[in-house]
Amino acid sequence: MAADADFYALELLLDDEDQALLHRVRSFMEKEVEPIINHYWTRAKFPHEILPGLRGLGIAGLPYSGYGCPGKSPLLDGMVAMELARTDPSIATFSGVHGGLAMGSIYLCGSEEQKQRWLPAMARMDKLGAFGLTEPDVGSGVSRGLATTARREGDTWVLDGQKKWIGNASFADLTVIWARDVDDDQVKGFVVEAGTPGFATEDLKDKIALRAVQNALITLDGVRVAESNRLQHATSFKDTAAVLRMTRAGVAWMAVGCARGAYEHALAYALQRQQFGRPIGGFQLVQDLLVRMLGNITASAAMCARLAQLQAAGLARDEHSSLAKAFCTVRMRETVGHARELLGGNGILLEHHVGRFVADAEAIYSYEGTREMNTLIVGRAITGLSAFV
Ligand SMILES: Cc1cc2nc3c(=O)[nH]c(=O)nc-3n(C[C@H](O)[C@H](O)[C@H](O)COP(=O)(O)OP(=O)(O)OC[C@H]3O[C@@H](n4cnc5c(N)ncnc54)[C@H](O)[C@@H]3O)c2cc1C
């Protein structure tokens, strides 16, 4: 009998209703996504066919209160992100961009009227969102200066520049664009609706990770946005950072899911694959790999669960999310590597799924702050000394 990868039963921290939702997500992912995802992954296409089912789960904007959102705990939100990634990290990323980064920007930085205007439709996934912060020449250094500019002309803002890597942007109904106000040099957020003249997207080609996610290069050429589309409570990069603090915790959970998916496929394989006349799971060295993987997953999940409790108590700081993102992604990368090793040659065949987790782990490792950036955030917090430059 194979042990559950939730080895310390963290799921029991959820009440019955939340556990039931988590199980619905699991069942949907296993039945509707796993059988088709390799087809889309190899073709670098997003599986729009799963959107009705995803909508039905009601998981967009899970932790927000009001505006048609369920107001659930950060713990359930994190576990759902983990559960999505456990079957497929591309779908988890799609959901993290829409529900986390895009809805989160509006939830944390929007005025009451703006939240009423956009969040209910986004919670129903009638409108999909994207989040444009990174630029071709500015990634880790976004806090020190964006090249994309915002210039005010009366009640209108004019945006110029480029954004790179923007997930969902080529089909999103609205994209949150972060730009530097040329008057006060501060970063501000703007909701740009699809079809706005001067806003163009081009999907990045030939990615080796998260191939089902559509990441776009956005060009903003004199894009005119009404003042009523400027996020009214985003006045400096500190406000952008508040969004990232929340979503980085979600990425740590996704790392746990990615590792867990690879581990579970590896465990099943170890019990079924025979060599030297016995299941390879009966070899000590194979068990060593499995136990290392389980240890990584258990430690990472426990860390994320405690972080979720700190979030719920209003005690989570930047460095808490950063430590979890850095630690869990390192452990994920090691875990998926062990899983691939355990499958031998089959570890690089997509049909065995583990190869997809290995590739996707590389993107999760770098997005929403690289290991180095998150390490510098924690390093500054524990020493009081900034080592960024
Ligand atoms: C699949 C994917 C999806 C993404 N989705 C989005 C999205 O939807 N929206 C969005 O805005 N962005 C998105 N990103 C962008 C992502 O957040 C950036 O890739 C990430 O922040 C790193 O920036 P960069 O790639 O420009 O690397 P760089 O900043 O160029 O870094 C290159 C290397 O230098 C290191 N480095 C940089 N500065 C320092 C320093 N001071 N000290 C030590 N090391 C340093 C980095 O850690 C890294 O190893 C996505 C990226 C990927 C890969």
Side-chain angles (χ1 to χ4, degrees), residues 42-60:
T42 43
R43 285 158 187 76
K45 295 284 180 212
F46 180 76
H48 290 275
E49 65 174 279
I50 69 164
L51 283 178
L54 262 186
R55 277 190 193 105
L57 293 172
I59 54 173

Side-chain angles (χ1 to χ4, degrees), residues 43 83 89 137 176 231 309 313:
R43 285 158 187 76
E83 199 61 57
D137 295 327
V176 177
L231 293 175
Q309 291 171 337

Side-chain angles (χ1 to χ4, degrees), residues 93 97 101 131-135 138-141 164-167 207 209-210 215 363 366-373 376 387-389:
T93 300
V97 169
L101 289 164
F131 174 93
L133 176 62
T134 310
E135 303 184 348
V138 192
S140 303
K164 186 174 175 185
W165 290 113
I166 312 311
K207 285 186 297 162
L210 295 179
N215 290 99
S366 287
Y367 72 41
E368 293 222 25
T370 62
R371 186 188 63 78
E372 289 82 2
M373 284 301 108
L376 292 173
F388 278 87
V389 282

Side-chain angles (χ1 to χ4, degrees), residues 249-266:
V251 178
W253 277 109
M254 277 183 218
V256 178
C258 178
R260 186 168 162 182
Y263 163 80
E264 289 173 345
H265 284 293

Side-chain angles (χ1 to χ4, degrees), residues 306-320:
R306 178 60 188 148
L307 173 59
Q309 291 171 337
L310 290 179
Q311 288 177 294
L315 297 173
R317 295 192 299 271
D318 286 343
E319 58 267 29
H320 293 129

